[in-house]
Amino acid sequence: MRITRIEVHEAELAYAGGVYRLSGGREYRAFDATILSLHCDDGTVGWGESTPFGSTYVAAHAGGVRAALDLLAPAVIGLDPRSHDRIQDAMNTVLTGHAAAKTAIDVACWDAHGKAAGLAVCDLLGGRIAGPVPVISSIGSDTPDAMRASVARHRKAGFRGHSVKIGAGEAEGGPALDAERIGACLADRQPGEWYLADANGGMTPESVLRMMAHLPENTDIVIEAPCASWRETLSLRSRCRLPILLDELIQDDADLIHAIATDACDGVGLKISKQGGLTASQRQRVIASAAGMVMSVQDTTGSEISFAAILHMAQSTPRHLLRCALDPRSMVSTRIAEFDAPVINGGATAPDQPGLGITPNPNAIGAPVAIYEGA
Ligand SMILES: [Mg+2]
């Protein structure tokens, strides 16, 4: 089985909620998606996607993904898509870094592998663990009352995990407002619910410690990505009574090993395109498991294709370490593919079909913007 052709498509994914706000005044209205089809000599077609969360989340942007594919795609033509590590080697031979771009090819290879083997991707990733995967809500920064209402809406829909966005500027209300937001979100807490307060690297140790001073002693919440740098994170860690989960700071194997060696956190957000695809995410899942870290399986954002990769990874992640998965479909209003994995009572189950189980809609992805073929 050999890769013979790769086609690259562009699609704009509109943000479903109007404007998505993150710490530091970052705003997102739409996401530029790169969708890729990988064609093999036996007729198998695999699909992959890479949709960076704008250009100010991590060091990745959509134009960079497509420019990088210009180097990466020719390097994997002629290779066996089932040899995931060798595909990584070939990509690393022509380009250092650029995890987001490598993800589109890597995920398409897993889809093709599954289709050729007649197995769902979660079965290739170590095997399906029965039962739905808990999906987490995303509670955007707003007034405390509005955030409490958003948690209530998600609770009603069956969600048990809630990610509360924090990181208010001083002029806006600062650490006191963030503590108020957390208090409001936890006010109606039900047994079995799990809460993250995600600062997306937008706070300093000083602001997190001040926020914590406003929270009751017994507040049960995990602080996610409090600070932008390792120095700040480690300084906070030594003085923070709450568990810490790192996201943006852990982008590759070395970051994860550094986090373990310095005991910087209790959990990690594995985002498929941030880590470099399913191959890298699977490897990092093993490392995180060995360290006893909990995991939140996500992507930066994306369509049904991105969610399919997330869901197959989460479906095969040991349940005592899997805190939640993110459904990026809830963030975008554009539909790119059919994917039969509805969120029911706050959980979703990876379908049994071979590969990712997605069927792209040709009208939504349009004509290819680039085609790569063997000589
Ligand atoms: Mg996060």
Side-chain angles (χ1 to χ4, degrees):
M1 186 179 185
R2 302 282 155 195
I3 300 167
T4 54
R5 191 170 82 254
I6 289 174
E7 297 184 356
V8 178
H9 303 256
E10 274 180 47
E12 185 177 278
L13 309 180
Y15 171 56
V19 184
Y20 193 100
R21 292 190 173 83
L22 280 192
S23 60
R26 289 171 286 178
E27 293 186 351
Y28 307 89
R29 289 173 174 77
F31 307 105
D32 184 347
T34 300
I35 311 287
L36 178 150
S37 62
L38 180 138
H39 303 250
C40 304
D41 58 358
D42 66 350
T44 304
V45 180
W47 290 88
E49 173 181 1
S50 180
T51 307
F53 198 57
S55 53
T56 52
Y57 177 66
V58 291
H61 69 107
V65 167
R66 292 188 285 269
L69 285 171
D70 210 38
L71 294 170
L72 298 170
V76 302
I77 302 269
L79 300 185
D80 187 329
R82 299 167 299 184
S83 298
H84 303 289
D85 290 350
R86 301 295 78 78
I87 294 278
Q88 293 287 320
D89 291 345
M91 292 197 285
N92 292 338
T93 301
V94 295
L95 185 64
T96 299
H98 296 268
K102 289 169 181 170
T103 293
I105 289 178
D106 176 82
V107 170
C109 285
W110 282 96
D111 187 32
H113 184 175
K115 284 170 175 163
L119 291 170
V121 168
C122 61
D123 289 319
L124 298 176
L125 291 171
R128 171 186 298 274
I129 295 168
V133 165
V135 172
I136 195 161
S137 71
S138 184
I139 312 297
S141 293
D142 207 327
T143 63
D145 283 348
M147 293 172 78
R148 182 178 183 173
S150 178
V151 171
R153 275 195 304 279
H154 284 92
R155 178 180 294 119
K156 215 170 160 197
F159 287 80
R160 291 157 71 86
H162 304 281
S163 174
V164 176
K165 294 290 182 186
I166 56 167
E170 288 294 336
E172 199 191 338
L177 173 60
D178 282 331
E180 225 185 298
R181 286 166 164 169
I182 290 173
C185 289
L186 292 175
D188 313 309
R189 181 182 202 138
Q190 300 297 309
E193 288 185 348
W194 182 71
Y195 287 81
L196 283 168
D198 189 357
N200 291 101
M203 296 176 78
T204 58
E206 184 253 18
S207 55
V208 178
L209 292 171
R210 284 170 57 208
M211 179 188 79
M212 280 172 49
H214 289 277
L215 292 174
E217 271 295 309
N218 61 352
T219 302
D220 176 9
I221 193 162
V222 176
I223 304 287
E224 176 169 341
C227 306
S229 73
W230 287 105
R231 208 290 312 169
E232 293 165 293
T233 303
L234 290 168
S235 170
L236 173 67
R237 173 72 164 168
S238 66
R239 293 177 285 163
C240 182
R241 68 174 188 270
L242 296 172
I244 292 178
L245 184 146
L246 292 183
D247 184 354
E248 287 91 326
L249 276 176
I250 299 182
Q251 299 187 21
D252 60 22
D253 299 16
D255 295 334
L256 179 56
I257 288 165
H258 180 64
I260 294 166
T262 55
D263 191 27
C265 59
D266 307 288
V268 55
L270 289 181
K271 288 190 160 83
I272 309 296
S273 67
K274 171 168 69 77
Q275 320 310 136
L278 286 168
T279 305
S281 298
Q282 185 189 32
R283 201 169 56 233
Q284 290 168 29
R285 179 173 70 182
V286 171
I287 298 169
S289 299
M293 282 198 191
V294 298
M295 284 166 265
S296 160
V297 181
Q298 312 195 340
D299 207 334
T300 45
T301 186
S303 74
E304 294 79 6
I305 303 173
S306 154
F307 181 51
I310 292 169
L311 192 54
H312 284 281
M313 175 59 62
Q315 193 79 57
S316 54
T317 298
R319 283 304 164 86
H320 69 292
L321 294 175
L322 175 70
R323 277 288 171 265
C324 58
L326 175 81
D327 180 359
R329 296 176 303 185
S330 65
M331 296 163 74
V332 302
S333 53
T334 312
R335 293 289 163 252
I336 293 294
E338 296 300 318
F339 182 52
D340 185 20
V343 176
I344 299 168
N345 263 336
T349 305
D352 273 327
Q353 290 119 283
L356 292 172
I358 55 107
T359 309
N361 171 3
N363 296 327
I365 55 174
V369 293
I371 298 176
Y372 302 93
E373 282 180 295

